[in-house]
Amino acid sequence: MIVDCAIYRDGHRTEGPEDFSDALGEARTAGGFVWIGLHEPTEREFDHVTREFGLHPLAVEDALKAHQRPKLEVYDDSLFVVLKPVVYEPRSDTVSSGEIMIFLGDSFAVTVRHGEGAPLKAVRHRLEQEPELLGNGPTSVLYAIADAAVDHYLDVAIELQADLEGLEAEVFSPEVGGSRNTASRIYDFKRQILEFRRATGPLALPMSRLAGTAQSGVTVPFVDDRARPFFRDVSDHLTRVNESVENLDRLVSDILSAHLAQMSVRQNDDMRKISAWAAMAAIPTMVAGIYGMNFEHMPELRWEWSYPALVLLMVVLEVLVFRLFKRRGWL
């Protein structure tokens, strides 16, 4: 589905022909560019765009099928960039990701969005309010989308940090720290971090290449040199996000280890208590077992005070053993 199609000239949006081919020709003649936005297009819908803009078939296949990792690929007539914006759902504490594919050429920008999250309407509106930035051509579209996605990464990282603090407080709480649901919540949280990392981690190299700071030193075509400082800023923000994700992953692993250690300690405490009560129960059982054998030569059986004496002996032994276990913290 085509969401929007516009021609931009000298940093301003202008009305142009509805046909893609005519719009592209007019943009090239006037020194502007065309920005076409699509949302989950079908193969038939995207076929016309592919023919008019000469998009590479491999990139088109990736754009239609989605489920791509963040990457940057250079073709003869265009640049293909994949971003994975993330959406945080506070009610369920879950992180989900969509996909934005960007085709960048000398006079056009084609964006293909998959998923309901991270719509580009706000990005387009904000970019149209900055004609100086928009005057950099199609590069400004790529920068605006990447900047919005990475800035939202920072917001999601803050939300996850807040959730992690709450989970940490729950783990170390004496009331609920040993609940059965705690371990499953920790694993669910680790899964959310993994989903977040899949979006942010692979994007580091493409941003470095766009910023011109990659070790290869190869200049990326179709990117205005004036925009490279802006991409360096996005790359710096992305580095902060990746560091936050690493810290979150390390902390949640430490919390899981602490929770498992607490569970082990509690189990040891329970076993000691059970063992202590079993030892106390063994005393009367042993005495009753000895005198329940009914041997013929047992003088104590004919003694008048044998029964109360044995009961008193068992009580004294039980009290002594109880105080011993209590002093050592077993009870």
Side-chain angles (χ1 to χ4, degrees):
M1 182 177 86
I2 299 176
V3 179
D4 199 352
C5 176
I7 298 176
Y8 296 89
R9 185 183 302 114
D10 298 328
H12 298 280
R13 178 169 180 157
T14 61
E15 297 297 332
E18 297 181 358
D19 184 79
F20 296 153
S21 180
D22 295 339
L24 181 60
E26 181 178 328
R28 285 173 173 169
T29 302
F33 71 94
V34 180
W35 180 3
I36 301 174
L38 302 100
H39 178 241
E40 297 183 355
T42 63
E43 185 175 353
R44 183 177 180 181
E45 292 173 338
F46 202 55
D47 185 60
H48 182 48
V49 179
T50 302
R51 291 196 309 269
E52 294 297 338
F53 292 93
L55 305 180
H56 197 279
L58 292 178
V60 171
E61 182 181 358
D62 290 343
L64 290 174
K65 292 184 177 180
H67 303 293
Q68 304 294 316
R69 65 197 305 270
K71 61 181 179 179
L72 184 152
E73 294 181 352
V74 179
Y75 296 100
D76 294 335
D77 299 325
S78 63
L79 186 71
F80 181 60
V81 181
V82 179
L83 302 175
K84 292 181 73 69
V86 297
V87 178
Y88 175 78
E89 181 57 50
R91 294 184 178 179
S92 58
D93 296 334
T94 57
V95 174
S96 59
S97 61
E99 290 185 44
I100 297 178
M101 286 78 169
I102 306 167
F103 295 89
L104 213 66
D106 56 346
S107 300
F108 67 87
V110 178
T111 55
V112 182
R113 183 168 60 90
H114 292 268
E116 297 300 327
L120 297 180
K121 183 178 180 180
V123 176
R124 186 186 289 261
H125 178 72
R126 180 172 65 87
L127 189 58
E128 290 175 353
Q129 305 304 313
E130 302 181 24
E132 293 183 1
L133 179 59
L134 195 57
N136 292 325
T139 306
S140 61
V141 176
L142 177 58
Y143 161 71
I145 296 175
D147 183 57
V150 173
D151 284 347
H152 193 61
Y153 288 162
L154 291 170
D155 297 335
V156 173
I158 293 174
E159 295 286 350
L160 289 176
Q161 180 66 41
D163 287 346
L164 182 60
E165 291 175 357
L167 185 61
E168 184 178 14
E170 177 181 333
V171 168
F172 290 100
S173 173
E175 289 81 10
V176 298
S179 64
R180 296 181 179 179
N181 295 329
T182 303
S184 62
R185 286 195 58 196
I186 295 175
Y187 278 112
D188 288 340
F189 192 87
K190 197 170 183 65
R191 190 180 299 111
Q192 306 310 317
I193 295 177
L194 178 61
E195 181 70 21
F196 194 21
R197 174 181 282 177
R198 288 172 179 168
T200 63
L203 188 59
L205 181 57
M207 285 297 107
S208 297
R209 293 179 62 188
L210 291 171
T213 58
Q215 294 180 355
S216 61
V218 179
T219 302
V220 179
F222 308 108
V223 176
D224 195 314
D225 291 337
R226 296 173 297 177
R228 299 196 186 279
F230 296 95
F231 285 112
R232 282 199 293 269
D233 181 67
V234 176
S235 182
D236 290 340
H237 290 175
L238 183 62
T239 300
R240 289 175 50 194
V241 171
N242 285 326
E243 290 176 351
S244 299
V245 173
E246 291 293 334
N247 291 335
L248 288 172
D249 187 62
R250 186 164 50 251
L251 285 174
V252 76
S253 297
D254 293 341
I255 290 175
L256 178 60
S257 298
H259 173 67
L260 295 178
Q262 283 184 326
M263 295 296 293
S264 178
V265 170
R266 287 191 177 94
Q267 289 177 352
N268 290 336
D269 290 340
D270 293 340
M271 288 302 299
R272 286 193 300 179
K273 291 179 181 179
I274 294 173
S275 300
W277 287 112
M280 293 176 62
I283 294 176
T285 302
M286 180 186 66
V287 175
I290 293 175
Y291 286 96
M293 290 185 292
N294 295 323
F295 287 135
E296 181 178 354
H297 301 288
M298 295 184 71
E300 297 87 353
L301 296 178
R302 295 180 179 84
W303 184 34
E304 182 178 356
W305 297 98
S306 60
Y307 176 75
L310 289 176
V311 172
L312 179 62
L313 176 63
M314 287 188 290
V315 171
V316 171
L317 291 176
E318 291 288 344
V319 171
L320 291 176
V321 173
F322 178 81
R323 293 186 60 183
L324 176 63
F325 288 150
K326 193 72 174 178
R327 184 181 304 171
R328 294 188 176 182
W330 283 40
L331 292 175

